[in-house]
Amino acid sequence: MKQLPKEWIEQIITLLNERIVVVDAKGIVVYMDQAYCDFIERPVTQCIGYHVKDVIENTRMHVIVKTGKIELEDFHPINGSVMIANRFPIVVDDEIVGAVGTVMFPTPENLRDFKNKIQQLVTDLSYYRDKVNNELRSKYTFKDLIGNSQEFVHLKEFAETVAGNDSSVLITGESGTGKELFANAIHNSSLREQHPFLPINCSAIPEELFESELFGYSEGAFTDAKKGGKKGLFEIAHNGTIFLDEIGELPLSMQSKLLRVLQEREIQPIGAQKYISINVRIIVATNRNLLKMVENGEFREDLYYRLNVIHIDIPPLRKRKEDIKQIAYQLLRKLEHKFYRSDVMISKEVIKQLEMHHWPGNVRELENVLERAINMLKENTILLQHLPLYIRDIILEERMNIEQTEKNRGNEIVYLKKMKEVIADAEKQAIQNALSHTKGNKLEAAKLLGIGKTSLYDKCHQYSIN
């Protein structure tokens, strides 16, 4: 500093976006930069040597030299405006010899610009906070679960009854039956409805990331860990509900950690020394046979019984054929918004054809079929020609596999099949054999059969191979 001329130092202070005042131990002003003097509309000669209370309105500089406490970002009303003030004691040899104060926004215009910037930040923050909160809210209620079949109605009534408690729920059913919809509805009918609903697909998280995603990590827990650490999904869902879909895909190493969460109601982020208490209801879903997995050592028995406090088994669509028409129209209303259509109808022939299909993909498959149809639609009614070929060619079940032709050959009845059906039977048997050989691995089965994976999926749909 000795190498800097006095004129330089004064200009540097003036160029800074903060105005400065310095007082001695008695509160007498010993320095005030020219811009500060201009703001309070007093010449320098009427500032230096005067007590700070007589110079600056609402000042606290004289308080600082007495208390020795730092005051940061204090709102300081002055001259009809507001400044942001910082005040620091000056200590030499353990003795308070004075204080220095800095202020920002010495004009109303500067303050207004600052307030506008802050307001924009607040607006942006509110937008993203609302966006996150909406994403953490469940989307469906029991009114969205469509169906009047006796078994389905009883299932809904049971789910509504148990929704109000905090017991763990295991939802089973084939893929596409609406397990996540049930989980949403249960959360929305519980006392936790105003808190987060967090769906997690266990099959979509790599095994090595499971623990950090579910339980989070502390700063410095590992290389590339975010500064400040990261909250886990369980902590984010505090007071709400976590929905673990495809629970059968949860690695054994994580099953023991999940069991501890259920038992102790606390988590430990990676690298953290302390446990964090959580209050979360757990709903899980799977299309696999967990009990068989337990027998095979693929799923922990103690975790299975912890999760299977309340069991909801959703029937497949083929067992709810009387609900197909109602579900189809509900899906159509949803698709109308997506494709900007209205009042789309379904012909009686199409409804009949839909009711005859086996629906291995359940409601999800039905939605895909209707979306395809609405894409092809020129008028307002879905007709047979708008359906995929594998559904359009369905005939009555008793005629599906064989075409019987009776011929009188000495009281002997001869059963003949059309060539198309012979080929179809052979294809179906070959696909079933390949899937059995590969233990359900469709990619390997397709390689064995010498066809593409897409073709295999189409054939599975066509022949109702689940």
Side-chain angles (χ1 to χ4, degrees), residues 435 438-448 451-453 456-457 460 465-466:
L435 288 170
T438 61
K439 296 181 180 179
N441 188 316
K442 291 184 178 178
L443 182 60
E444 293 299 321
K447 289 179 181 178
L448 283 177
I451 61 176
K453 189 177 180 181
L456 179 63
Y457 275 104
C460 287
I465 298 173
N466 188 0

Side-chain angles (χ1 to χ4, degrees), residues 91-327:
V91 181
V92 178
D93 296 330
D94 295 329
E95 182 182 352
I96 298 175
V97 297
V100 58
T102 66
V103 293
M104 296 175 64
F105 320 115
T107 68
E109 290 75 17
N110 293 145
L111 179 62
R112 185 165 52 251
D113 291 342
F114 174 74
K115 287 169 67 178
N116 289 339
K117 290 178 182 178
I118 292 295
Q119 186 59 49
Q120 185 59 49
L121 289 174
V122 170
T123 302
D124 292 346
L125 179 62
S126 297
Y127 168 77
Y128 288 113
R129 182 178 59 200
D130 292 342
K131 187 172 184 289
V132 169
N133 286 339
N134 288 335
E135 289 175 353
L136 295 179
R137 293 294 176 92
S138 56
K139 303 173 184 177
Y140 306 102
T141 67
F142 283 107
K143 292 181 180 179
D144 297 305
L145 303 178
I146 304 302
N148 292 321
S149 58
Q150 187 175 5
E151 183 181 359
F152 193 72
V153 169
H154 288 333
L155 193 65
K156 280 177 59 177
E157 290 173 349
F158 172 70
E160 284 190 81
T161 301
V162 302
N165 61 48
D166 271 347
S167 299
S168 300
V169 180
L170 169 63
I171 304 175
T172 56
E174 295 178 8
S175 179
T177 50
K179 296 185 289 293
E180 185 167 347
L181 268 66
F182 264 87
N184 274 267
I186 290 171
H187 173 79
N188 258 336
S189 294
S190 72
L191 297 176
R192 299 174 181 267
E193 62 174 326
Q194 296 302 319
H195 298 286
F197 174 81
L198 207 57
I200 302 167
N201 189 334
C202 295
S203 64
I205 304 176
E207 183 173 350
E208 62 273 14
L209 298 180
F210 249 108
E211 189 170 0
S212 62
E213 286 295 312
L214 265 59
F215 305 139
Y217 56 79
S218 60
E219 184 174 343
F222 49 82
T223 306
D224 298 329
K226 287 173 59 178
K227 186 175 181 180
K230 175 186 173 183
K231 280 187 176 183
L233 298 174
F234 269 88
E235 190 175 354
I236 293 172
H238 183 60
N239 289 327
T241 302
I242 272 196
F243 172 55
L244 297 174
D245 199 6
E246 304 292 350
I247 190 66
E249 307 301 323
L250 194 68
L252 277 169
S253 59
M254 284 302 300
Q255 290 178 24
S256 59
K257 295 180 184 295
L258 177 59
L259 178 64
R260 192 184 187 285
V261 172
L262 286 165
Q263 290 174 333
E264 306 298 333
R265 296 290 173 180
E266 61 183 17
I267 59 170
Q268 185 179 31
I270 298 174
Q273 302 300 316
K274 296 181 179 179
Y275 286 92
I276 299 173
S277 296
I278 56 160
N279 175 17
V280 173
R281 184 183 195 177
I282 295 180
I283 301 176
V284 301
T286 183
N287 57 6
R288 302 181 66 180
N289 187 332
L290 289 187
L291 199 53
K292 189 173 182 180
M293 291 180 67
V294 169
E295 293 171 358
N296 295 336
E298 300 171 335
F299 202 86
R300 290 183 63 114
E301 184 177 17
D302 45 6
L303 178 59
Y304 171 75
Y305 287 111
R306 275 281 182 178
L307 296 173
N308 192 21
V309 178
I310 296 169
H311 185 194
I312 296 174
D313 187 38
I314 305 175
L317 191 57
R318 62 182 171 275
K319 294 184 179 179
R320 304 170 49 200
K321 299 235 170 162
E322 62 267 46
D323 293 337
I324 287 179
K325 180 178 179 180
Q326 188 180 3
I327 294 172

Side-chain angles (χ1 to χ4, degrees), residues 317 327-328 331 354 359 362-370:
L317 191 57
I327 294 172
L331 293 172
L354 295 179
W359 297 112
N362 294 292
V363 177
R364 190 178 294 125
E365 182 187 359
L366 175 58
E367 183 173 4
N368 290 341
V369 168
L370 292 173

